[in-house]
Amino acid sequence: MSEIPYASTTRNIQYINPCTRLDVMYTLSVTSRYQACVGEAHWSAVKTILKYLKTTKDMFLIYGGGEFILEDYSNTTFQSNDDDAKSQLDFVFKLYDGVVAWKSSKQAATGGFHHRS
């Protein structure tokens, strides 16, 4: 697995995704967590993402119609994973009923809380 360009491939997919291919962002974010301990299953998942992108290259998202409404949703779970004792932070922004930005990330527990404004 040391010869596989896993990290550079996931970075390249992340480069094209933020506004154009939100349909694969979650899967890519999960596969990106395994940069240090890549296995064949991880590489297979990344290749599946590449195949999906190739077969859907002529498809795109369309935003618009109706009233301009920007919505945001957020959620934090404290130490939701018993294995690593990390909290999970999630948020999503929607425009015209379509997702335009989102994030889901693990963070170390600090003993306090963080305020998002």
Side-chain angles (χ1 to χ4, degrees):
M1 291 303 299
S2 63
E3 302 295 320
I4 301 297
Y6 187 83
S8 64
T9 303
T10 56
R11 275 194 308 273
N12 288 336
I13 297 171
Q14 286 174 342
Y15 178 75
I16 66 167
N17 273 325
C19 294
T20 59
R21 296 309 303 254
L22 296 167
D23 48 348
V24 296
M25 288 302 294
Y26 177 75
T27 306
L28 184 62
S29 71
V30 171
T31 59
S32 295
R33 294 178 185 173
Y34 298 95
Q35 301 289 328
C37 58
V38 177
E40 289 184 33
H42 304 111
W43 180 237
S44 178
V46 170
K47 289 192 301 186
T48 300
I49 293 170
L50 290 171
K51 289 176 193 172
Y52 173 78
L53 290 172
K54 183 177 180 180
T55 60
T56 60
K57 67 182 177 191
D58 294 325
M59 297 179 183
F60 51 90
L61 301 173
I62 298 175
Y63 296 104
E67 186 178 347
F68 180 86
I69 298 174
L70 178 65
E71 302 172 79
D72 73 306
Y73 303 92
S74 63
N75 183 44
T76 303
T77 54
F78 180 69
Q79 293 184 341
S80 59
N81 187 331
D82 292 336
D83 295 331
D84 61 12
K86 292 187 178 181
S87 299
Q88 183 81 25
L89 168 67
D90 309 303
F91 71 80
V92 64
F93 286 92
K94 291 175 58 180
L95 179 64
Y96 292 117
D97 289 327
V99 174
V100 293
W102 74 277
K103 182 174 183 176
S104 178
S105 62
K106 287 185 175 185
Q107 51 190 350
T110 61
F113 67 91
H114 300 279
H115 175 72
R116 182 176 158 244
S117 49

